[in-house]
Amino acid sequence: MQDWLSPTDEKLSFIMEGGEAKGIVIATDTEPILAGGEKSGPELFALYEKIKETVGEEGSVQYFGYSGGYAFVATDREGEESVWLDQRAATFLELPAHTPLEAQEVVQQIQAAADDRTGE
């Protein structure tokens, strides 16, 4: 799935207060794009930590927004890829949240959701 994602200079960061995530910031090196996420920030941080624990420090994690939610594409050091959905994206795609999923399964659900919207 990482091959399908277009690289950008956007970065997802967490607003932390006393070791607790209070929100998110999406920004480039030169400008902010989005700040807030008071409701989703703690969930996304916990999910990100779970992913890093699973794939290890040598693994890579990318994200993309989907229907107001987020999906993380993680690759471990062996090159095995998994997709993790936050609760909002998981609800929309009718897939489980906070658990590693096969990329093909997520892509099929994204396509099905797109077909539903276009009436195909």
Side-chain angles (χ1 to χ4, degrees), residues 18-50:
E20 189 176 321
K22 295 292 186 180
I24 62 170
V25 174
I26 298 175
T28 67
D29 288 336
T30 58
E31 66 182 334
I33 297 169
L34 171 84
E38 292 81 9
K39 293 180 182 176
S40 61
E43 177 197 1
L44 293 175
F45 183 73
L47 179 55
Y48 179 80
E49 290 289 298
K50 184 177 180 180

Short mmCIF file of all heavy atoms in Angstrom, two decimals, residues 18-50:
data_model
loop_
_atom_site.label_atom_id
_atom_site.label_comp_id
_atom_site.label_asym_id
_atom_site.label_seq_id
_atom_site.Cartn_x
_atom_site.Cartn_y
_atom_site.Cartn_z
N GLY A 18 2.27 16.96 29.76
CA GLY A 18 2.54 16.04 30.87
C GLY A 18 2.51 14.58 30.47
O GLY A 18 2.01 13.75 31.21
N GLY A 19 3.02 14.26 29.29
CA GLY A 19 3.05 12.88 28.83
C GLY A 19 1.73 12.38 28.26
O GLY A 19 1.61 11.21 27.92
N GLU A 20 0.75 13.25 28.16
CA GLU A 20 -0.56 12.88 27.64
C GLU A 20 -0.85 13.64 26.35
O GLU A 20 -0.64 14.86 26.28
CB GLU A 20 -1.62 13.21 28.69
CG GLU A 20 -3.00 12.69 28.37
CD GLU A 20 -3.97 12.97 29.50
OE1 GLU A 20 -3.58 12.86 30.68
OE2 GLU A 20 -5.12 13.32 29.19
N ALA A 21 -1.32 12.92 25.34
CA ALA A 21 -1.65 13.56 24.07
C ALA A 21 -2.93 14.38 24.23
O ALA A 21 -3.95 13.88 24.68
CB ALA A 21 -1.83 12.52 22.98
N LYS A 22 -2.84 15.65 23.82
CA LYS A 22 -3.99 16.55 23.92
C LYS A 22 -4.55 16.94 22.57
O LYS A 22 -5.59 17.58 22.49
CB LYS A 22 -3.60 17.81 24.70
CG LYS A 22 -3.24 17.56 26.14
CD LYS A 22 -4.45 17.12 26.91
CE LYS A 22 -4.13 17.00 28.39
NZ LYS A 22 -5.28 16.59 29.17
N GLY A 23 -3.83 16.58 21.48
CA GLY A 23 -4.29 16.95 20.15
C GLY A 23 -3.24 16.57 19.13
O GLY A 23 -2.26 15.90 19.43
N ILE A 24 -3.47 17.01 17.89
CA ILE A 24 -2.54 16.73 16.81
C ILE A 24 -2.24 18.00 16.03
O ILE A 24 -3.01 18.96 16.07
CB ILE A 24 -3.09 15.66 15.83
CG1 ILE A 24 -4.38 16.14 15.15
CG2 ILE A 24 -3.28 14.33 16.52
CD1 ILE A 24 -4.86 15.26 14.00
N VAL A 25 -1.12 17.96 15.34
CA VAL A 25 -0.74 19.02 14.41
C VAL A 25 -0.26 18.33 13.15
O VAL A 25 0.56 17.41 13.21
CB VAL A 25 0.39 19.90 14.98
CG1 VAL A 25 0.86 20.91 13.93
CG2 VAL A 25 -0.05 20.61 16.24
N ILE A 26 -0.77 18.76 12.01
CA ILE A 26 -0.25 18.33 10.72
C ILE A 26 0.37 19.56 10.10
O ILE A 26 -0.28 20.60 9.99
CB ILE A 26 -1.35 17.73 9.83
CG1 ILE A 26 -1.95 16.49 10.50
CG2 ILE A 26 -0.80 17.40 8.45
CD1 ILE A 26 -3.12 15.88 9.78
N ALA A 27 1.65 19.45 9.72
CA ALA A 27 2.37 20.61 9.20
C ALA A 27 3.49 20.16 8.27
O ALA A 27 3.93 19.01 8.33
CB ALA A 27 2.96 21.41 10.35
N THR A 28 3.92 21.09 7.43
CA THR A 28 5.14 20.90 6.66
C THR A 28 6.27 21.54 7.47
O THR A 28 6.03 22.06 8.57
CB THR A 28 5.05 21.56 5.28
OG1 THR A 28 4.99 22.98 5.45
CG2 THR A 28 3.83 21.08 4.50
N ASP A 29 7.45 21.54 6.92
CA ASP A 29 8.56 22.19 7.61
C ASP A 29 8.38 23.71 7.67
O ASP A 29 9.01 24.38 8.48
CB ASP A 29 9.89 21.87 6.92
CG ASP A 29 10.31 20.42 7.16
OD1 ASP A 29 9.87 19.82 8.15
OD2 ASP A 29 11.08 19.90 6.34
N THR A 30 7.50 24.24 6.83
CA THR A 30 7.36 25.70 6.75
C THR A 30 6.01 26.25 7.17
O THR A 30 5.90 27.43 7.45
CB THR A 30 7.65 26.20 5.31
OG1 THR A 30 6.75 25.56 4.41
CG2 THR A 30 9.08 25.91 4.92
N GLU A 31 4.96 25.39 7.19
CA GLU A 31 3.65 25.94 7.54
C GLU A 31 2.73 24.89 8.15
O GLU A 31 2.77 23.72 7.80
CB GLU A 31 2.98 26.56 6.31
CG GLU A 31 2.62 25.56 5.24
CD GLU A 31 1.99 26.24 4.02
OE1 GLU A 31 1.40 27.32 4.14
OE2 GLU A 31 2.09 25.65 2.95
N PRO A 32 1.88 25.34 9.09
CA PRO A 32 0.89 24.43 9.66
C PRO A 32 -0.24 24.18 8.65
O PRO A 32 -0.57 25.05 7.86
CB PRO A 32 0.38 25.18 10.88
CG PRO A 32 0.63 26.62 10.58
CD PRO A 32 1.84 26.66 9.68
N ILE A 33 -0.81 23.00 8.70
CA ILE A 33 -1.92 22.65 7.83
C ILE A 33 -3.18 22.45 8.65
O ILE A 33 -4.25 22.92 8.30
CB ILE A 33 -1.60 21.38 7.00
CG1 ILE A 33 -0.42 21.67 6.09
CG2 ILE A 33 -2.81 20.92 6.21
CD1 ILE A 33 0.17 20.45 5.43
N LEU A 34 -3.05 21.76 9.77
CA LEU A 34 -4.20 21.45 10.62
C LEU A 34 -3.71 21.34 12.06
O LEU A 34 -2.67 20.73 12.31
CB LEU A 34 -4.84 20.13 10.19
CG LEU A 34 -5.91 19.55 11.10
CD1 LEU A 34 -7.25 20.20 10.78
CD2 LEU A 34 -6.01 18.06 10.92
N ALA A 35 -4.46 21.90 12.97
CA ALA A 35 -4.18 21.75 14.39
C ALA A 35 -5.50 21.51 15.09
O ALA A 35 -6.53 22.05 14.68
CB ALA A 35 -3.49 22.98 14.96
N GLY A 36 -5.48 20.72 16.09
CA GLY A 36 -6.70 20.43 16.83
C GLY A 36 -6.70 18.98 17.27
O GLY A 36 -5.75 18.49 17.84
N GLY A 37 -7.78 18.30 16.93
CA GLY A 37 -7.86 16.89 17.25
C GLY A 37 -7.91 16.59 18.73
O GLY A 37 -7.38 15.58 19.18
N GLU A 38 -8.55 17.48 19.48
CA GLU A 38 -8.62 17.25 20.92
C GLU A 38 -9.29 15.92 21.25
O GLU A 38 -8.94 15.26 22.21
CB GLU A 38 -9.36 18.39 21.62
CG GLU A 38 -8.62 19.72 21.61
CD GLU A 38 -8.79 20.49 20.30
OE1 GLU A 38 -9.61 20.09 19.44
OE2 GLU A 38 -8.08 21.50 20.13
N LYS A 39 -10.25 15.52 20.42
CA LYS A 39 -10.92 14.24 20.65
C LYS A 39 -10.13 13.08 20.07
O LYS A 39 -10.06 12.01 20.66
CB LYS A 39 -12.33 14.27 20.03
CG LYS A 39 -13.27 15.22 20.72
CD LYS A 39 -14.64 15.21 20.10
CE LYS A 39 -15.54 16.22 20.79
NZ LYS A 39 -16.85 16.31 20.16
N SER A 40 -9.56 13.27 18.88
CA SER A 40 -8.86 12.17 18.22
C SER A 40 -7.39 12.05 18.62
O SER A 40 -6.80 10.98 18.47
CB SER A 40 -8.96 12.31 16.70
OG SER A 40 -8.37 13.52 16.28
N GLY A 41 -6.79 13.12 19.12
CA GLY A 41 -5.38 13.10 19.47
C GLY A 41 -4.98 11.96 20.40
O GLY A 41 -4.04 11.21 20.12
N PRO A 42 -5.67 11.80 21.54
CA PRO A 42 -5.30 10.71 22.45
C PRO A 42 -5.45 9.33 21.79
O PRO A 42 -4.60 8.45 21.99
CB PRO A 42 -6.28 10.87 23.62
CG PRO A 42 -6.62 12.34 23.61
CD PRO A 42 -6.65 12.71 22.15
N GLU A 43 -6.50 9.14 21.00
CA GLU A 43 -6.69 7.85 20.32
C GLU A 43 -5.57 7.61 19.31
O GLU A 43 -5.00 6.51 19.26
CB GLU A 43 -8.03 7.80 19.59
CG GLU A 43 -8.21 6.50 18.82
CD GLU A 43 -9.30 6.52 17.77
OE1 GLU A 43 -9.96 7.56 17.57
OE2 GLU A 43 -9.48 5.47 17.13
N LEU A 44 -5.25 8.62 18.50
CA LEU A 44 -4.21 8.46 17.50
C LEU A 44 -2.85 8.20 18.13
O LEU A 44 -2.06 7.40 17.63
CB LEU A 44 -4.14 9.68 16.59
CG LEU A 44 -5.35 9.90 15.68
CD1 LEU A 44 -5.20 11.21 14.92
CD2 LEU A 44 -5.53 8.74 14.72
N PHE A 45 -2.57 8.88 19.23
CA PHE A 45 -1.29 8.67 19.91
C PHE A 45 -1.19 7.24 20.45
O PHE A 45 -0.16 6.58 20.27
CB PHE A 45 -1.09 9.69 21.03
CG PHE A 45 0.24 9.55 21.72
CD1 PHE A 45 1.39 9.95 21.07
CD2 PHE A 45 0.34 9.02 22.99
CE1 PHE A 45 2.63 9.83 21.69
CE2 PHE A 45 1.56 8.89 23.62
CZ PHE A 45 2.71 9.29 22.97
N ALA A 46 -2.24 6.77 21.09
CA ALA A 46 -2.24 5.40 21.61
C ALA A 46 -2.09 4.39 20.47
O ALA A 46 -1.35 3.40 20.59
CB ALA A 46 -3.52 5.12 22.40
N LEU A 47 -2.76 4.64 19.36
CA LEU A 47 -2.67 3.76 18.20
C LEU A 47 -1.25 3.78 17.64
O LEU A 47 -0.67 2.73 17.34
CB LEU A 47 -3.68 4.16 17.14
CG LEU A 47 -3.70 3.36 15.84
CD1 LEU A 47 -3.88 1.87 16.10
CD2 LEU A 47 -4.79 3.89 14.91
N TYR A 48 -0.67 4.98 17.49
CA TYR A 48 0.70 5.10 16.99
C TYR A 48 1.69 4.35 17.89
O TYR A 48 2.56 3.63 17.40
CB TYR A 48 1.09 6.58 16.87
CG TYR A 48 2.49 6.78 16.39
CD1 TYR A 48 2.80 6.68 15.04
CD2 TYR A 48 3.53 7.06 17.27
CE1 TYR A 48 4.10 6.85 14.58
CE2 TYR A 48 4.82 7.24 16.83
CZ TYR A 48 5.11 7.13 15.49
OH TYR A 48 6.39 7.30 15.05
N GLU A 49 1.54 4.50 19.18
CA GLU A 49 2.42 3.79 20.13
C GLU A 49 2.26 2.27 19.99
O GLU A 49 3.25 1.54 20.03
CB GLU A 49 2.11 4.24 21.56
CG GLU A 49 2.54 5.66 21.85
CD GLU A 49 4.04 5.81 21.92
OE1 GLU A 49 4.65 5.18 22.80
OE2 GLU A 49 4.59 6.56 21.08
N LYS A 50 1.05 1.80 19.82
CA LYS A 50 0.79 0.37 19.64
C LYS A 50 1.45 -0.14 18.36
O LYS A 50 2.04 -1.21 18.32
CB LYS A 50 -0.72 0.12 19.61
CG LYS A 50 -1.11 -1.34 19.52
CD LYS A 50 -2.63 -1.48 19.59
CE LYS A 50 -3.06 -2.92 19.50
NZ LYS A 50 -4.53 -3.05 19.56
#
